[in-house]
Amino acid sequence: MKGLSDTSEGGGRVEDLQIIELYFSRDEQAITETDRKYGKLCRSIIYNILISPEDTEECVNDTYLGTWNSIPPARPLNFSAFLCRIARNLSLKRLEYNKAMKRDPEVYVSFSELENVIADDEIDPFITDEHLGKIISRFLRAEKEEARNVFLRRYWFFDPIGTIAEKYGFSESKVKNMLYHSRNRLREYLRKEGVIV
């Protein structure tokens, strides 16, 4: 069967809307089209967290099932971000379930780097996770594109420093330096926003 991209003219956004309509129609082709377009991205996110081909494939399937169960009623405005969030959350739950600290120290290194910025005991207890997420999003939108991309690759996708350096053509020391300065700017931003007490 031809993929939707063979019949759509509007590019990625139109194609995503067509895939979402397949979910609303309860057409199983929705999962096939999702995997065709976003399977590589989902596998990359999941594998970076779990470092296990078997767990990755299982989690990809769970991601598609989670998407199937969420649409409808959800009608995501950004389908790729919606999928990435499901994949990431399921991966982190699996990681916790597997007690995988020894299997993937990279994820825990990423968390420990951010703990110095967003330590639970310093955050205003009245700030919700959702509100904190919106503040961090505003901070990232104000960052230069290069710094924002490196930050997201490290703390959202859990890419190792070496992978980020290779992806953007930087030295590893430059990536570490960029992350260090981004974390400091984020901490200062959170202080100004009244998040850190």
Side-chain angles (χ1 to χ4, degrees):
M1 178 177 268
K2 283 188 172 185
L4 291 177
S5 60
D6 298 328
T7 59
S8 66
E9 294 179 9
R13 175 92 174 112
V14 170
E15 189 176 340
D16 284 354
L17 293 174
Q18 290 174 327
I19 294 172
I20 290 167
E21 286 307 317
L22 290 174
Y23 281 101
F24 269 86
S25 301
R26 308 316 283 160
D27 185 336
E28 291 183 12
Q29 184 67 20
I31 293 173
T32 303
E33 295 297 335
T34 300
D35 186 60
R36 179 190 58 77
K37 186 169 182 188
Y38 293 113
K40 186 175 179 181
L41 175 63
C42 288
R43 283 175 180 84
S44 172
I45 293 167
I46 295 166
Y47 186 81
N48 282 344
I49 295 170
L50 299 177
I51 313 296
S52 162
E54 297 81 17
D55 285 351
T56 296
E57 282 310 309
E58 206 170 308
C59 213
V60 167
N61 291 333
D62 289 345
T63 298
Y64 297 155
L65 177 62
T67 305
W68 180 265
N69 290 335
S70 298
I71 305 175
R75 188 179 286 276
L77 297 176
N78 186 327
F79 186 54
S80 64
F82 183 82
L83 273 175
C84 288
R85 186 168 49 251
I86 292 173
R88 184 176 184 273
N89 290 342
L90 288 172
S91 302
L92 291 172
K93 285 180 186 173
R94 173 64 62 88
L95 181 68
E96 187 177 320
Y97 175 79
N98 289 346
K99 299 186 187 317
M101 189 176 290
K102 294 175 189 164
R103 292 172 57 193
D104 188 14
E106 196 67 48
V107 172
Y108 289 94
V109 168
S110 295
F111 281 142
S112 68
E113 288 171 3
L114 278 182
E115 276 177 359
N116 295 328
V117 175
I118 313 172
D120 286 342
D121 60 349
E122 292 184 333
I123 294 180
D124 182 330
F126 297 105
I127 300 286
T128 64
D129 289 345
E130 182 180 356
H131 185 58
L132 178 60
K134 287 179 180 176
I135 291 170
I136 293 172
S137 291
R138 282 200 307 269
F139 163 77
L140 288 172
R141 279 195 295 273
E143 286 283 274
K144 291 180 181 173
E145 183 179 0
E146 196 174 78
R148 180 175 57 242
N149 289 341
V150 167
F151 189 94
L152 288 171
R153 292 311 311 183
R154 181 66 173 159
Y155 302 120
W156 178 259
F157 295 101
F158 299 110
D159 283 352
I161 298 290
T163 302
I164 298 169
E166 186 177 328
K167 181 176 182 65
Y168 295 108
F170 301 148
S171 67
E172 290 191 18
S173 62
K174 178 174 180 175
V175 171
K176 289 176 186 175
N177 193 39
M178 290 173 73
L179 290 169
Y180 172 78
H181 289 294
S182 289
R183 289 194 305 270
N184 286 343
R185 286 192 298 273
L186 175 58
R187 185 171 181 78
E188 188 56 34
Y189 187 83
L190 293 175
R191 186 174 282 115
K192 286 178 181 173
E193 292 287 321
V195 173
I196 296 177
V197 293

